[in-house]
Amino acid sequence: MTPELAHLRDFLAAHDPFDTLPEADLLRAVRAIDVRYIRRQQPILSVGQTNAHLHLVRKGAVELTGPQGGLVARCGEGDAFGYPSLLGDGTVGANAVALEDTLLYQLEAATFHALREAHPDFAAFYDEAQADRLHAALAQRTQAAELVTPVRSLLKRPPVTIPLDASIRTAAQAMAEQRVSSILVVEKAEGEPGGPGRLFGILTDRDLRARVLAEGRDPDGPVRGVMTPNPAVIGADALAFEALLRMTGRNIHHLPVLDGGALAGMITVTDLMRLQATSPVFIVGDLAKQTTTEGLARVTERLPDLLLRLIEADARPRDIGTVATAVADALTERLLTLAEERLGPPPVPYAWLALGSQARQELNAHSDQDNALLLADAHEGIAYDDDAHGPYFEALARFVSDGLNEAGFVYCPGDVMATNPRWCQPLAAWQRTFTAWIERPDPKAVMHTTIFFDLRHVHGDETLTRALRTHIRDQVQANQIFLATLAVDALQFEPPLGFFRKFVVDRSGEHTNTFDIKTRGLAPLVDIARVHALASGVMTANTHARFADATEAGAINPKDAASLDDAFDYVAMTRLRHQGRQLRAAEAPDNRIDPRELSRLERTHLRDAFKVVATAQDGLGSRYNTAMIS
């Protein structure tokens, strides 16, 4: 073998997936490679042309852009491109241009396909799209079962039911026969097919004692007269700790489970308490017992340890975010309760709104507080009066914000808190504020949308929150210019795709050799989801839910939505693992990623995720023609 061929062989053997090939096939690949030198700025592939090679960058750098010019990827030493066309009909789907003088190894298509057929691992590397590799990487993780067990996995039997027109005696007999402590009262519509029927109420052992025996009721009377109507329910895909939070919050011990709207069964406190005691419900339960802000802060000190256990158990990022948010919500509600005990009942109804990451249920170990107060315009015929009523809500907001800060959810550096009079307003004023942002989307208004358009009700009068959401939805859908402006903002930060299998990092200053994974990775995905959701009239705040709801509304095709969903999970997981290492080392968690912390496989998957982001940004720019908007 000549020195040139030996050098080529060593290069291939050092890079995926050629390092999986046996020696004979590695040499086969070497013999089928042509070497090509490309001058800086010279095109290599163009959209629509036919490609017959797998291109490997030996030296130099290549930029791939989509049909609309959006960045798809930047390839450095060892990176490959051109293979999507080889796996399709040969037609190129992305432009490739040399960013600097570049040396390429070009493997002919026939040998490429022969190696794929002979070696499944080699084939899988290329046959699986980058999004599929992400999905596979995510699927390999384990979960902290005791913390994130789906409710459906706790269902051990079909629902035990009784017709709505049954007697109390019949219900009690059925409970005794089935050995259950509660029974679901249902009614089937005439001609309705099989199934348990529509849920109307629930009858428990406690109801039989308190409402039948204690009151001396006739056991042959109707069960509907002693049941609890319209009971609280939970979805089958909710997490076990969410179910226990709902039970403890309502002081109930039984919770019917719905699957797609249909009655699926029942879970009890006993079912849930079988889970290990590391569940976040113990933190939430302890929060509910506290009577001082100092006590609340002591309980919340356990949250970082809880998050660390979840991170190290490889729980899903979305579940970790749900856990952290559930604690923040419980803390907020307890602070509001204590505030009302101290200040007296509110002069007008109000709604406490979580904003930003708390609204999206995506809190992490490095989250501050973002919140607002939404007040009723009038109550019992008396209009809201800022002079008369404002001091109450100013004091309430200050008490809660100070309590959150003391408990670790620090003050918002941008003053997006209910303590700011701008963010403590009656409904009509909030509606005018959102209308102004939507009709005149200047840079400051767009900045506000990234926070205030992610809102979620936490406490108080939910009808106020629903009214504000409806107003926002109607105003946004009637204003395509606003949506296009949001799309421009969503393209502001490109993912840090770099050269030579590296990432674009800061080259000087405090954060040398790192990049901000929140700004460059997570924020673009959150922004993309927000634009698609608002355009579809979807008012959910959670990013995963926005992708799903926008897909159902036809705004995103299912394959792209799945890729975006996996990309968001993987980028979030990378951040959480980084923060977990910091927590373990007793360091303050941040969003700065040093690529040297990551394994080669982790870097590959993260690059895949960033390519999904870049492709989605290109598609968003094309959809809203952002190149025409200054």
Side-chain angles (χ1 to χ4, degrees):
M1 183 184 297
T2 66
E4 291 80 7
L5 290 180
H7 187 66
L8 199 162
R9 180 255 174 227
D10 292 342
F11 176 82
L12 292 184
H15 293 89
D16 293 330
F18 291 91
D19 57 356
T20 65
L21 296 177
E23 184 67 17
D25 282 331
L26 187 61
L27 294 177
R28 180 182 181 185
V30 168
R31 289 190 290 269
I33 281 178
D34 292 325
V35 180
R36 183 181 174 192
Y37 178 72
I38 311 292
R39 299 286 296 179
R40 181 177 180 271
Q41 296 303 317
Q42 181 178 343
I44 303 167
L45 296 174
S46 299
V47 172
Q49 79 173 77
T50 300
N51 173 46
H53 294 91
L54 173 72
H55 303 264
L56 296 164
V57 179
R58 176 62 185 89
K59 290 183 178 179
V62 175
E63 183 173 81
L64 306 181
T65 58
Q68 302 299 319
L71 178 67
V72 173
R74 291 192 178 104
C75 300
E77 181 176 330
D79 287 334
F81 62 94
Y83 57 87
S85 58
L86 298 182
L87 301 177
D89 61 2
T91 303
V92 174
N95 301 300
V97 176
L99 288 177
E100 55 188 68
D101 292 349
T102 298
L103 188 67
L104 290 180
Y105 289 159
Q106 296 181 317
L107 177 65
E108 62 181 17
T111 303
F112 172 73
H113 289 301
L115 294 172
R116 287 178 55 244
E117 292 175 7
H119 303 287
D121 289 343
F122 184 92
F125 186 87
Y126 296 109
D127 291 354
E128 295 176 0
Q130 58 201 23
D132 293 330
R133 290 205 300 269
L134 271 180
H135 189 75
L138 290 166
Q140 290 173 359
R141 296 168 305 154
T142 60
Q143 291 189 2
E146 72 277 4
L147 293 166
V148 294
T149 302
V151 166
R152 70 168 66 253
S153 69
L154 301 176
L155 298 175
K156 304 303 182 185
R157 61 185 301 171
V160 179
T161 64
I162 196 76
L164 184 61
D165 58 2
S167 68
I168 299 170
R169 187 191 304 277
T170 301
Q173 289 172 341
M175 291 169 64
E177 290 171 1
Q178 297 293 326
R179 297 183 178 180
V180 293
S181 58
S182 64
I183 194 165
L184 298 171
V185 183
V186 301
E187 183 179 61
K188 285 189 179 181
E190 187 174 346
E192 185 179 350
R198 186 158 64 97
L199 178 64
F200 265 79
I202 183 173
L203 183 73
T204 68
D205 280 341
R206 185 165 57 178
D207 294 329
L208 290 174
R209 292 193 303 271
R211 298 177 183 175
V212 180
L213 293 176
E215 295 182 6
R217 286 181 180 258
D218 181 0
D220 291 318
V223 71
R224 67 189 309 162
V226 295
M227 71 180 187
T228 298
N230 303 314
V233 298
I234 196 163
D237 291 323
L239 304 181
F241 85 88
E242 295 179 85
L244 193 46
L245 288 179
R246 193 162 302 181
M247 290 185 190
T248 55
R250 291 169 170 78
N251 192 29
I252 57 178
H253 298 85
H254 305 80
L255 197 59
V257 179
L258 302 182
D259 189 1
L263 189 58
M266 172 91 77
I267 56 173
T268 68
V269 170
T270 302
D271 295 327
L272 296 170
M273 293 305 291
R274 293 192 184 103
L275 301 177
Q276 293 185 10
T278 52
S279 171
V281 295
F282 288 92
I283 292 180
V284 173
D286 285 347
L287 288 174
K289 300 172 186 175
Q290 303 306 309
T291 58
T292 65
T293 55
E294 294 82 6
L296 291 170
R298 282 195 300 272
V299 173
T300 314
E301 286 176 354
R302 288 149 50 191
L303 180 59
D305 286 340
L306 171 62
L307 296 181
L308 180 59
R309 288 199 300 273
L310 282 168
I311 293 167
E312 293 181 342
D314 270 339
R316 297 189 307 174
R318 65 187 72 184
D319 295 336
I320 295 174
T322 302
V323 167
T325 304
V327 172
D329 286 355
L331 172 65
T332 303
E333 289 195 80
R334 186 57 183 158
L335 285 166
L336 285 163
T337 299
L338 294 177
E340 290 185 21
E341 290 175 358
R342 172 179 295 192
L343 301 171
V348 299
Y350 72 89
W352 184 277
L353 305 178
L355 306 172
S357 58
Q358 185 178 354
R360 296 193 304 270
Q361 296 180 292
E362 294 163 9
L363 285 178
N364 63 91
H366 182 60
S367 296
D368 55 16
Q369 57 174 289
D370 296 299
N371 46 62
L373 266 172
L374 169 59
L375 314 176
D377 292 316
H379 180 58
E380 296 181 348
I382 301 175
Y384 173 80
D385 184 300
D386 193 56
D387 290 335
H389 304 147
Y392 176 94
F393 291 108
E394 180 182 352
L396 180 132
R398 175 54 58 193
F399 181 87
V400 175
S401 184
D402 288 348
L404 289 170
N405 181 71
E406 187 177 349
F409 295 95
V410 298
Y411 298 123
C412 172
D415 201 22
V416 180
M417 298 179 291
T419 50
N420 185 333
R422 293 185 65 192
W423 315 134
C424 177
Q425 305 184 65
L427 174 61
W430 272 114
Q431 290 172 333
R432 289 192 297 270
T433 296
F434 275 96
T435 297
W437 288 338
I438 294 165
E439 292 182 349
R440 296 182 294 278
D442 57 33
K444 183 171 286 189
V446 173
M447 177 190 72
H448 285 138
T449 65
T450 63
I451 300 174
F452 289 90
F453 281 67
D454 298 351
L455 64 85
R456 183 172 55 82
H457 183 86
V458 173
H459 183 82
D461 187 348
E462 196 165 0
T463 61
L464 295 171
T465 309
R466 287 198 294 267
L468 181 58
R469 280 180 176 154
T470 300
H471 176 82
I472 296 169
R473 181 196 64 204
D474 294 344
Q475 292 288 308
V476 167
Q477 291 201 286
N479 195 317
Q480 289 298 306
I481 294 176
F482 174 73
L483 289 170
T485 306
L486 285 191
V488 171
D489 187 67
L491 308 184
Q492 179 181 2
F493 294 105
E494 294 181 349
L497 291 167
F499 308 139
F500 310 120
R501 292 181 174 265
K502 296 182 180 179
F503 297 92
V504 176
V505 297
D506 291 357
R507 292 301 182 189
S508 61
E510 180 184 357
H511 302 298
T512 301
N513 294 325
T514 69
F515 63 86
D516 188 325
I517 195 169
K518 176 182 177 181
T519 302
R520 305 294 298 278
L522 290 171
L525 285 161
V526 170
D527 292 342
I528 291 167
R530 183 186 300 111
V531 174
H532 285 307
L534 290 173
S536 306
V538 171
M539 294 309 296
T540 50
N542 177 263
T543 300
H544 291 293
R546 279 173 164 169
F547 286 138
D549 292 345
T551 301
E552 187 174 343
I556 315 176
N557 74 60
K559 184 176 180 181
D560 289 344
S563 297
L564 288 164
D565 204 56
D566 283 342
F568 187 72
D569 248 350
Y570 198 85
V571 176
M573 183 175 69
T574 301
R575 174 172 70 166
L576 285 169
R577 285 176 171 172
H578 164 72
Q579 292 180 345
R581 287 190 288 269
Q582 292 177 311
L583 290 171
R584 178 60 67 193
E587 300 172 358
D590 60 29
N591 296 305
R592 306 296 310 192
I593 298 295
D594 184 340
R596 294 171 297 184
E597 293 181 345
L598 308 176
S599 68
R600 186 179 70 173
L601 194 59
E602 287 173 327
R603 290 194 296 269
T604 297
H605 292 320
L606 191 58
R607 284 168 62 88
D608 283 345
F610 287 153
K611 289 174 186 177
V612 172
V613 177
T615 301
Q617 286 182 319
D618 185 49
L620 194 67
S622 176
R623 177 173 179 173
Y624 287 98
N625 200 15
T626 55
M628 302 297 294
I629 302 174
S630 59

